[in-house]
Amino acid sequence: MRTYGKSAAFVALSVTAVATALTGAAPSQAVASANPAPSLSWRPCAQDGGPAAQECAELPVPLDYRDPDGPQLSLAVTRVRSDRPAARRGTLLVIAGGPGSSGVQRVTQKGERLQRATEGRYDIVSLDPRGVGGSPKASCGLAPEDREIVNLRAWPSADGSITENVTRSRRTAEACARNGGALLRSLTTANEVRDIDRFRQALGEEKLSAWGNSYGTYVGAVYAQKYPQHTDRWVLDSNGDPDPSRVGKGWLANMAVGAADRFPDFARWASDPAREAEGLRLAQRAEDVQPLVLDLAARLDREPRESTTPGVPLTGNRLRQAIQLALYNDEAFAGLAGLVRAAGDPSAKPVLSDALSGPIPDAEAAITIAVVCNDVRWQGTVSSYERAVAADRVKHPLTAGMPVNITPCTFWKDAPAEQPTRITDQGPSNVLMIQGLRDPATPYSGALKMRAAFGDRARLVAVDHGGHGMYLGNGNACGDRAVTAFLNTGTRPERDAYCAN
């Protein structure tokens, strides 16, 4: 692991912002935190493949923190207690990504491995954010077609037109306003952060350590800004740009850069002679793979292929979406290459993954849309989006303008209830960021913005690896060691560090 010089932070806080950062509460939070901490009634909830000692409970939280004694929600929470009580030093919060991912499920998936890595030093805990998993779910009442991933992600028409996207985005925003109610309006990063602190109080912990992934890095960063006195060892894995003027709009736009950064990994894999015996070699040279798939997508725009899913053809945009999803993990490369081969073979019938072959549940669609729309007002006119899409299709042909296209947020009926949090260098120096250099969802260039915002509060471990999610996932031994050492001993690299592949 090589180290580089510290990056600086240049953000100054106003007197009010300093007070908020140090007390960890806006006025509505302070009122809520004055209430007695809720109690948790734990019960066994072990799942197949998960930790045998996993427990679950329900955490009551206010629907609206401005009315802490008003209607309450019951959030699903989970824990795996330390199996070495003598070694236990605290509680480690797992913050899932999304928006819309289940923390309870992530502990089921990662809890045992995380427990082994940290050698029993922590109780491992998480929660299902409001709208997710075992917590109360909202609904927009969307038609099945509007819940297909190629429509939730606003892929332009084959000719670059966004007319259909405008119509669908307006229809979706109107449906969410009509059907979502107070629960949908409460789906915000700020409320997830408040819910996490409510969880901390219920656990009886003065401080939490954390491992946040993807969108969970932003949640973790906001928590560290709002409640710095309650943070212990803070790990942020696969980080987005925290720009408070854009938030989700910026994350989506950055996916174009992420796909361009990551696709060469797939191209090298798909042109490797080793793929020949597997029937998955797409080209003799890596540089020929991208033109091949772009040409195939254009042909599918004109003539969609019947797939093995009745009524769901393989279109150009479904292929583009399949590419984008497959870039998250090397293990998905074989499936993508197989789809490309089948799509180009007139005698074959392409097999679509579950993600591409039907609508997602309405509650999942609602949470995916609502958080990014509730957090910040998305600026822009239809004509400005048309211009942005036209330019991005040229600059980033793999994503064909989707990341900068219009979304329901442009037509969202409710203004944000509060301004997004600005991440600053004011607070304890206890953050370790880990980031792949070729991340398709939260690209390295965006992670550098988070690093700069934190200043000397953070260190960054850059991993020469592709994919999304580094620690105990797509990462390498060097990156895993750096995070594990920090969680176990509190030791971070003295300066930003680099891990070779």
Side-chain angles (χ1 to χ4, degrees):
M1 183 167 65
R2 301 203 304 269
T3 58
Y4 296 112
K6 296 178 183 178
S7 58
F10 308 96
V11 181
L13 291 176
S14 67
V15 172
T16 302
V18 170
T20 300
L22 293 178
T23 62
S28 62
Q29 294 168 277
V31 171
S33 64
N35 286 359
S39 60
L40 298 171
S41 297
W42 294 102
R43 64 184 185 279
C45 64
Q47 302 293 314
D48 289 344
Q54 187 169 358
E55 298 176 295
C56 292
E58 283 72 44
L59 171 74
V61 300
L63 173 64
D64 185 343
Y65 278 88
R66 294 169 296 186
D67 182 16
D69 297 318
Q72 302 288 300
L73 303 174
S74 182
L75 305 187
V77 298
T78 193
R79 74 176 177 184
V80 179
R81 303 188 74 174
S82 168
D83 56 357
R84 295 177 60 208
R88 183 186 181 278
R89 66 168 307 275
T91 294
L92 174 60
L93 172 72
V94 176
I95 312 176
S101 294
S102 164
V104 173
Q105 183 182 54
R106 189 151 177 84
V107 169
T108 299
Q109 295 166 342
K110 296 285 188 178
E112 284 189 344
R113 191 170 179 191
L114 186 57
Q115 191 174 46
R116 287 196 302 271
T118 55
E119 299 175 342
R121 287 179 172 85
Y122 298 95
D123 292 345
I124 297 166
V125 305
S126 192
L127 78 165
D128 282 349
R130 50 181 77 190
V132 177
S135 296
K137 297 181 178 66
S139 172
C140 286
L142 301 180
E145 180 188 4
D146 292 340
R147 291 186 272 114
E148 292 189 25
I149 191 168
V150 290
N151 293 327
L152 284 170
R153 297 272 177 92
W155 293 94
S157 298
D159 62 356
S161 167
I162 69 169
T163 301
E164 186 177 350
N165 304 126
V166 171
T167 301
R168 178 172 286 109
S169 293
R170 194 187 304 275
R171 181 170 67 238
T172 297
E174 290 171 351
C176 290
R178 185 169 58 250
N179 301 318
L183 177 55
L184 188 82
R185 291 191 294 273
S186 81
L187 303 180
T188 66
T189 299
N191 277 336
E192 182 171 348
V193 164
R194 294 181 182 114
D195 292 344
I196 286 172
D197 201 60
R198 188 82 166 158
F199 189 24
R200 176 194 62 78
Q201 295 170 47
L203 291 166
E205 296 286 359
E206 180 62 26
K207 292 186 176 184
L208 294 172
S209 293
W211 171 32
N213 179 262
S214 190
Y215 165 70
T217 65
Y218 179 66
V219 175
V222 173
Y223 187 94
Q225 190 67 37
K226 292 286 190 180
Y227 302 102
Q229 74 276 26
H230 296 310
T231 61
D232 187 7
R233 296 171 184 174
W234 220 245
V235 176
L236 303 181
D237 179 353
S238 301
N239 299 260
D241 181 352
D243 180 356
S245 69
R246 289 167 35 105
V247 194
K249 186 176 183 180
W251 304 334
L252 183 60
N254 282 348
M255 284 186 171
V257 176
D261 288 347
R262 171 64 161 153
F263 191 85
D265 289 343
F266 172 70
R268 284 189 292 271
W269 182 94
S271 59
D272 190 320
R275 305 284 86 78
E276 201 76 64
E278 303 164 359
L280 297 176
R281 193 178 189 191
L282 300 182
Q284 301 296 307
R285 302 183 306 166
E287 56 265 36
D288 294 331
V289 175
Q290 180 166 318
L292 181 151
V293 298
L294 292 178
D295 178 69
L296 178 59
R299 284 190 280 137
L300 291 169
D301 285 335
R302 298 188 296 270
E303 297 181 20
R305 289 286 310 279
E306 183 182 358
S307 77
T308 55
T309 305
V312 183
L314 177 59
T315 63
N317 280 340
R318 277 199 173 86
L319 178 61
R320 294 181 184 99
Q321 183 62 66
I323 293 168
Q324 200 269 331
L325 292 173
L327 297 180
Y328 277 57
N329 194 300
D330 290 2
E331 294 177 359
F333 286 178
L336 175 59
L339 180 64
V340 170
R341 289 294 295 266
D345 181 355
S347 65
K349 186 176 285 190
V351 179
L352 300 181
S353 67
D354 290 344
L356 294 170
S357 58
I360 68 172
D362 188 59
E364 292 182 23
I367 180 78
T368 300
I369 298 165
V371 173
V372 295
C373 295
N374 285 333
D375 271 1
V376 67
R377 176 68 77 187
W378 289 42
Q379 303 296 330
T381 63
V382 170
S383 59
S384 71
Y385 282 105
E386 287 175 333
R387 291 191 296 272
V389 165
D392 215 51
R393 285 169 68 84
V394 175
K395 188 175 182 180
H396 299 293
L398 282 167
T399 46
M402 178 275 290
V404 297
N405 201 356
I406 202 163
T407 73
C409 300
T410 304
F411 304 106
W412 208 244
K413 302 301 180 182
D414 296 302
E418 54 198 301
Q419 293 298 310
T421 298
R422 181 177 293 279
I423 307 305
T424 78
D425 61 355
Q426 302 296 304
S429 183
N430 63 352
V431 178
L432 181 66
M433 297 170 57
I434 183 167
Q435 183 73 32
L437 294 182
R438 299 178 302 284
D439 188 315
T442 53
Y444 185 67
S445 54
L448 291 178
K449 302 287 183 62
M450 180 78 86
R451 175 67 184 89
F454 270 126
D456 201 48
R457 296 176 68 185
R459 300 292 184 271
L460 171 64
V461 177
V463 181
D464 187 4
H465 202 287
H468 186 58
M470 288 293 109
Y471 184 53
L472 304 183
N474 271 308
N476 63 8
C478 169
D480 285 353
R481 281 195 303 270
V483 174
T484 298
F486 175 56
L487 290 175
N488 288 351
T489 70
T491 303
R492 298 181 307 179
E494 291 186 5
R495 294 168 291 180
D496 289 353
Y498 169 81
C499 286
N501 196 0

